[in-house]
């Protein structure tokens, strides 16, 4: 368990060690974990359908983070839509940005292990997950602060871009009230992720 | 398709033939304030011009005022790029018209103190007030630039104006490039009403009318040169569907090539051409007006997302102040903030319950932003990563951090003076104050690496203008040192930060660049210091 702040180091350099952390976490996971949360996790994975940027593990981590960040009560389909939309965005942004974001997800997924929590983030009950993540947003460890902050910002931008979120915050929507006009890229993503289309990221969830 | 010289529209990916080749007098890379204005000005003189724009053409008919949709259509990196600190959001355009399509329409003349500094400290020539004023006069007229009238002040702007007056902080009506504004508040999503006088609805159509060919979805690639003269620009046609190169190419044969890809990308483009060895200053002296934000909660509805973003600006602290040689305060322009809900939520700190408590009262949220004038000896650098990607390196040095902190303190003061019942500093620590007496909470404010959530929409430098190739990239004629026919015309030539929104300065500089390019085309070419 970490008693002292880790030395400050560059975000990406620290993330480069995520593989080692993941390996250790995987080993530990075999010794623990909750069957209830795992069942929930698998169910969500099936609902994501085809993904172009994220693998299933990253999608699950993102889903878990979104549940933590957004306390506004929303249903599962809205969280799934949020994950899908960020998958779409990450498919079209430059590789550098997409890689950084996915690295942040990988890092946060296994971060609880470094703090003595014998579970991956996505498998923690939501109360425990919230209790773990909230204090980290102002962490003195640069890499932790950046990972949480980066994911937090994109989740909120994505969530509050959705029409379904507007009523709850008193936003009256676009000034013109015109319907959405999907770009060629958005239509392309929809076509590529139709049911039956394979994900381009097929890496298996580590179990 | 055979592309004629007199088409009254922008060409797009489907119009191009693989392997096609086009001749022109001037090829301009980039269609934002620098490139579009230059195209307009050169076609005023009857010059044959091709403009290359890697992004798409997004006229009002393709806009829908939805934040994430429009970020994908208008913003470079879909608005998700960051500086090297991983937490400063860098904002620039990736569409015909560039950032002018999503900017706030603030249109300032270059401040006299800045011009004085550029002349005194950097030896700038040919860009003083007498050179720029004719351009300012003409552009202000053609873009209908005028001071924000009363009816464009929303509640937040009124509060900022009132508070600045009660604090005796000098302010001003912000000059706006608008015509028949619908007060939608969607400036950052592109103007569905064509009221904002962006380059897309002003200089681009004028240039096309005068014979310019504007190629959207056309990314400039390799510059083919011989003996210091660029002969060709190779062009990759971009697929607007996949957002990747389509595997088709074109070639532009030009007498003159002008890089006008914007402050974040012009030096990056030249770095990609392998020019760093020849031009050691390439990418250096980069500024970006890093901007701090403070959110505030009011008793009454504010509705910050309607009407124009910034009708009132506070210039009391625009210039840094020193006491006995030590920094004391200032160095930024204060303005009301305007964010639609998604970006508001993204920059609103906290998560879970705390975040929700604020967002559920979103109509009552106001706030301010401070555009920092970059510290001259703590500037950043545009770099080329080993994988070919662009790095926006910004050091956030000690002096910069002092200014950032002071900007937060002044914004907290301002927001409470505006009548806020609580104030939230945009940063990872989610510091919330319920009284001006709690200012001590800011003592331990983290300033870098997400300590503050910063935005940077005003890049400058990287191709600094000067006389010496050792510490500058272009001469005072905008021509790249050592090259006969390669020019730069955008904010990347600025010697230092422009202090205010740079759009009008960029346009006026393009007028001067046009004059120098005309001299070059007419054979009036003098080699500047640093030439080979």
């Amino acid at each position: 368990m970490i008693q002292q702040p880790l030395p400050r180091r560059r975000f990406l350099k620290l993330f480069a060690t995520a593989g080692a952390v993941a390996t250790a976490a995987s080993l530990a996971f075999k010794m623990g974990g909750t069957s209830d949360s795992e069942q929930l996790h698998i169910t969500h994975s099936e609902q994501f359908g085809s993904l172009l940027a994220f693998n299933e593990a990253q999608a699950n981590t993102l889903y878990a983070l979104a549940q933590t960040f957004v306390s506004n009560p929303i249903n599962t389909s809205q969280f799934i839509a949020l994950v899908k939309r960020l998958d779409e965005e990450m498919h079209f942004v430059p590789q550098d940005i997409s890689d950084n974001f996915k690295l942040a997800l990988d890092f946060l997924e296994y971060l609880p292990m470094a703090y003595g929590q014998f579970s991956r983030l996505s498998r923690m009950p939501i109360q425990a997950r919230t209790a773990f993540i909230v204090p980290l947003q102002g962490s003195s460890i640069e890499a932790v602060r950046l990972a949480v902050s980066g994911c937090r910002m994109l989740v909120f931008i994505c969530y509050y871009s959705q029409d379904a979120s507007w009523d709850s915050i008193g936003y009256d929507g676009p000034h013109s009230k015109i319907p959405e006009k999907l770009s060629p890229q958005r239509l392309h993503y929809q076509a590529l992720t139709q049911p039956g289309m394979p994900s381009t990221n097929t890496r298996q969830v580590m179990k | 398709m055979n592309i004629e010289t007199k088409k009254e529209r922008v060409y797009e990916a489907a119009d191009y033939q693989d392997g096609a080749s086009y001749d022109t007098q001037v090829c301009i890379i980039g269609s934002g304030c620098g490139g579009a204005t230059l195209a307009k000005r050169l076609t005023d003189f009857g010059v044959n011009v091709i403009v290359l724009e890697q992004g798409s053409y997004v006229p009002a008919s393709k806009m829908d005022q939805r934040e994430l949709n429009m970020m994908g259509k208008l913003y470079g990196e879909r608005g998700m790029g960051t500086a090297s600190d991983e937490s400063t959001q860098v904002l620039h355009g990736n569409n015909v018209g560039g950032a002018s399509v999503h900017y706030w329409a603030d249109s300032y003349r270059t401040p006299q103190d800045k011009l004085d500094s550029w002349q005194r400290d950097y030896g700038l020539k040919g860009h003083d007030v007498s050179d720029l004023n004719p351009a300012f006069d003409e552009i202000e007229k053609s873009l209908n630039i005028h001071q924000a009238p009363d009816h464009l002040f929303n509640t937040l702007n009124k509060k900022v104006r009132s508070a600045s007056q009660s604090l005796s902080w000098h302010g001003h009506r912000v000059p706006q490039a608008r015509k028949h504004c619908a007060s939608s508040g969607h400036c950052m999503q592109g103007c569905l009403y064509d009221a904002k006088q962006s380059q897309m609805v002003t200089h681009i159509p004028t240039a096309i009318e005068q014979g310019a060919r504007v190629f959207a979805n056309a990314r400039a690639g390799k510059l083919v040169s011989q003996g210091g003269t660029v002969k060709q620009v190779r062009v990759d046609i971009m697929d607007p569907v996949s957002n990747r190169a389509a595997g088709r190419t074109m070639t532009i044969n030009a007498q003159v090539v002008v890089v006008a890809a914007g402050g974040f990308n012009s030096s990056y483009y030249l770095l990609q051409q392998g020019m760093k060895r020849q031009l050691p200053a390439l990418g250096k002296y980069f500024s970006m007006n890093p901007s701090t934000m403070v959110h505030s909660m009011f008793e009454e509805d504010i509705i910050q997302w309607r009407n124009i973003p910034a009708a009132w600006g506070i210039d009391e602290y625009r210039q840094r102040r020193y006491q006995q040689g030590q920094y004391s305060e200032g160095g930024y322009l204060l303005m009301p903030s305007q964010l639609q809900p998604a970006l508001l939520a993204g920059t609103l700190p906290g998560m879970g319950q705390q975040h929700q408590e604020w967002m559920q009262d979103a109509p009552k949220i106001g706030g301010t932003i401070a555009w920092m004038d970059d510290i001259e000896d703590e500037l950043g650098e545009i770099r080329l990563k080993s994988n070919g990607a662009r790095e926006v390196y910004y050091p956030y040095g000690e002096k910069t951090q002092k200014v950032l902190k002071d900007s937060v303190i002044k914004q907290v003061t301002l927001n409470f003076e505006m009548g806020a019942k609580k104030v939230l500093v945009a940063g990872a620590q989610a510091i919330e104050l319920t009284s001006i007496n709690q200012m001590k909470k800011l003592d331990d404010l983290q300033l870098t690496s997400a300590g503050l959530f910063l935005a940077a929409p005003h890049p400058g430098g990287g191709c600094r203008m000067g006389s010496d190739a050792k510490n500058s990239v272009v001469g005072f004629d905008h021509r790249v040192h050592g090259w006969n026919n390669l020019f730069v015309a955008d904010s990347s030539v600025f010697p230092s930060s422009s202090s205010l929104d740079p759009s009008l300065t960029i346009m006026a500089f393009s007028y001067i660049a046009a004059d120098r390019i005309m001299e070059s085309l007419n054979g009036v070419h003098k080699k500047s210091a640093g030439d080979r």
Side-chain angles (χ1 to χ4, degrees), chain B residues 354-374:
Chain B
Q354 182 192 19
H355 194 271
Q356 176 58 17
E357 281 173 7
W358 276 74
M359 283 305 292
Q360 70 189 5
D361 284 329
K364 299 183 191 308
I365 299 176
T368 51
I369 187 165
W371 312 99
M372 197 196 106
D373 192 13
D374 304 59

Side-chain angles (χ1 to χ4, degrees), chain B residues 287-291 371-374 455-458 497-502:
Chain B
S287 58
M288 59 182 190
N289 280 174
S291 306
W371 312 99
M372 197 196 106
D373 192 13
D374 304 59
H458 299 158
S497 163
S498 59
S499 178
L500 300 167
D501 178 286

Side-chain angles (χ1 to χ4, degrees), chain B residues 456-506:
Chain B
H458 299 158
C463 297
R464 178 188 263 182
M465 186 174 273
S467 59
D468 189 345
K470 290 177 184 164
N471 54 27
S472 65
V473 173
V474 301
F476 302 123
D477 56 359
H478 289 250
R479 194 165 47 83
V480 177
H481 293 309
W483 290 82
N484 298 315
N485 66 339
L486 181 61
F487 292 75
V488 179
D490 58 30
S491 64
S492 64
V493 306
F494 292 171
S496 68
S497 163
S498 59
S499 178
L500 300 167
D501 178 286
S503 55
L504 189 51
T505 303
I506 297 168

Side-chain angles (χ1 to χ4, degrees), chain B residues 9 21 33 110 113 210 285 304 314 398 410 466 489:
Chain B
R9 67 180 179 88
S21 178
C33 286
T110 324
D113 59 271
Q210 296 179 159
Y285 313 117
Q304 66 166 284
I314 299 174
E398 199 174 314
K410 293 295 193 301

Side-chain angles (χ1 to χ4, degrees), chain B residues 260-303:
Chain B
F264 285 117
N265 286 318
S266 281
S267 56
Y268 173 51
Y269 176 71
L270 294 177
L271 285 166
Q272 288 177 306
Q273 303 301 317
M275 294 185 181
K276 181 70 173 175
R277 183 174 293 178
Q278 178 195 348
L279 298 162
L282 186 58
K284 291 186 175 177
Y285 313 117
F286 173 77
S287 58
M288 59 182 190
N289 280 174
S291 306
T292 56
M293 287 167 275
V294 163
H295 301 285
S296 50
M297 182 66 74
F298 293 85
E299 294 286 355
E300 70 276 30
D301 280 357
I302 298 295
I303 319 285

Side-chain angles (χ1 to χ4, degrees), chain B residues 143-163:
Chain B
L143 269 60
N144 195 40
I145 294 171
H146 58 284
Q147 290 188 341
D150 282 346
H151 73 272
L152 293 184
F153 277 67
N154 63 13
T155 303
L156 187 59
N157 272 281
K158 288 175 185 170
K159 283 184 177 293
V160 169
R161 178 173 58 183
S162 174

Side-chain angles (χ1 to χ4, degrees), chain B residues 181-482:
Chain B
C181 179
S183 303
S184 71
H186 286 289
C187 291
M188 291 179 71
Q189 289 78 52
C191 186
L192 186 67
Y193 313 98
D194 282 345
K196 182 167 63 180
Q197 298 296 287
S198 74
Q199 298 300 299
M200 187 176 66
V201 301
T202 55
H203 289 155
I204 292 281
T206 302
I208 291 174
E209 201 173 292
Q210 296 179 159
R213 286 169 286 178
V214 178
F215 293 176
N217 311 120
R219 184 178 67 192
K222 183 176 174 55
L223 293 174
V224 180
S225 64
Q226 189 177 27
T229 299
V230 180
K231 299 287 186 183
Q232 286 183 339
V233 183
R234 300 263 169 86
V235 178
D236 291 315
I237 298 166
M238 301 299 290
D239 175 13
V241 174
S242 66
N243 201 26
R244 288 161 172 77
R248 295 183 291 141
T249 60
M250 295 187 290
T251 302
I252 310 296
N253 305 302
Q255 294 174 40
V256 166
V257 173
V258 186
V259 182
F264 285 117
N265 286 318
S266 281
S267 56
Y268 173 51
Y269 176 71
L270 294 177
L271 285 166
Q272 288 177 306
Q273 303 301 317
M275 294 185 181
K276 181 70 173 175
R277 183 174 293 178
Q278 178 195 348
L279 298 162
L282 186 58
K284 291 186 175 177
Y285 313 117
F286 173 77
S287 58
M288 59 182 190
N289 280 174
S291 306
T292 56
M293 287 167 275
V294 163
H295 301 285
S296 50
M297 182 66 74
F298 293 85
E299 294 286 355
E300 70 276 30
D301 280 357
I302 298 295
I303 319 285
Q304 66 166 284
W305 50 74
R306 291 288 177 251
N307 218 326
I308 71 169
W312 188 257
I314 299 174
D315 50 85
E316 176 75 20
Y317 296 104
R318 190 176 63 76
Q319 297 185 66
R320 292 188 293 276
R321 296 174 184 171
Y322 296 87
Q323 287 183 346
Q324 297 172 331
Q326 298 294 311
Y327 170 78
S328 61
E329 62 182 351
Y332 42 81
L333 181 75
L334 295 167
M335 281 183 163
S337 185
Q338 181 177 68
L339 297 168
Q340 296 285 322
L343 275 175
L344 173 62
T347 59
L348 194 70
M351 56 179 67
Q353 198 174 346
Q354 182 192 19
H355 194 271
Q356 176 58 17
E357 281 173 7
W358 276 74
M359 283 305 292
Q360 70 189 5
D361 284 329
K364 299 183 191 308
I365 299 176
T368 51
I369 187 165
W371 312 99
M372 197 196 106
D373 192 13
D374 304 59
I375 308 285
E376 290 77 4
D377 58 354
E378 292 184 347
L379 295 175
E381 183 175 353
I382 299 292
R383 295 173 175 170
L384 191 63
K385 291 184 186 176
S386 58
N387 64 2
R390 182 199 63 202
E391 178 185 2
V392 180
Y393 169 73
Y394 201 82
Y396 285 109
E398 199 174 314
K399 297 174 191 170
T400 302
Q401 292 186 36
K402 285 181 180 172
V403 179
L404 291 176
K405 184 164 185 177
D406 186 60
S407 76
V408 171
I409 291 169
K410 293 295 193 301
Q411 286 183 83
V412 170
T413 304
L414 179 62
N415 277 273
F416 278 121
E417 187 69 21
M418 287 155 56
K421 61 179 184 178
K422 58 182 177 179
V423 165
L424 191 54
V425 178
Q429 293 165 293
I431 296 174
E432 188 173 306
L433 299 85
T434 54
S435 158
I436 191 82
N437 299 323
Q438 294 178 326
M439 203 68 95
K440 198 164 175 54
K441 284 187 176 183
L442 301 179
D443 286 354
D444 298 321
L445 183 64
Q446 290 175 333
L447 296 163
T448 60
S449 301
L452 291 173
F453 300 156
L454 297 151
H458 299 158
C463 297
R464 178 188 263 182
M465 186 174 273
S467 59
D468 189 345
K470 290 177 184 164
N471 54 27
S472 65
V473 173
V474 301
F476 302 123
D477 56 359
H478 289 250
R479 194 165 47 83
V480 177
H481 293 309

Side-chain angles (χ1 to χ4, degrees), chain A residues 8 10-12 68-72 85-86 88-94 96-97 100 133-134 137-140 142 145-146 148-149 152-154 156-158 160-161 163 166 168-186 188, chain B residues 60-69 72-73 77-78 80-81 84-87 182-184 186 192-193 240-244 305-306 340-343 345-353 355-356 359-360 362-363 385 387 389 428 446 448-451 453:
Chain A
R8 286 169 64 90
R10 295 296 306 143
F11 182 62
L12 290 177
T68 307
F69 296 156
V70 182
S71 73
N72 191 17
R85 184 63 193 268
L86 271 173
E88 179 183 331
E89 293 298 320
M90 288 301 136
H91 175 67
F92 289 115
V93 295
D96 246 28
I97 295 172
N100 261 1
I133 285 289
V134 169
Q137 61 184 327
S139 170
S140 60
E142 184 182 56
R145 191 168 70 243
L146 286 170
V148 173
S149 167
R152 192 203 71 90
M153 180 170 284
L154 288 186
F156 279 133
I157 288 175
C158 192
Y160 285 105
S161 289
D163 301 25
W166 295 341
S168 68
I169 58 169
Y171 177 58
D172 55 349
H175 178 263
S176 63
K177 310 299 178 197
I178 60 172
E180 247 186 315
K181 296 177 185 174
L182 298 187
S183 67
Q185 289 166 24
R186 296 217 61 198
H188 182 57
Chain B
S61 61
K62 295 181 181 176
M63 296 176 180
D64 69 1
Q65 300 184 329
R66 278 150 173 92
E67 288 179 84
L68 205 50
N69 284 359
K73 291 175 184 176
E77 295 101 39
R78 303 172 83 85
M80 295 179 186
S84 54
D85 66 330
E86 306 284 354
S87 59
S183 303
S184 71
H186 286 289
L192 186 67
Y193 313 98
V241 174
S242 66
N243 201 26
R244 288 161 172 77
W305 50 74
R306 291 288 177 251
Q340 296 285 322
L343 275 175
T347 59
L348 194 70
M351 56 179 67
Q353 198 174 346
H355 194 271
Q356 176 58 17
M359 283 305 292
Q360 70 189 5
K385 291 184 186 176
N387 64 2
Q446 290 175 333
T448 60
S449 301
F453 300 156

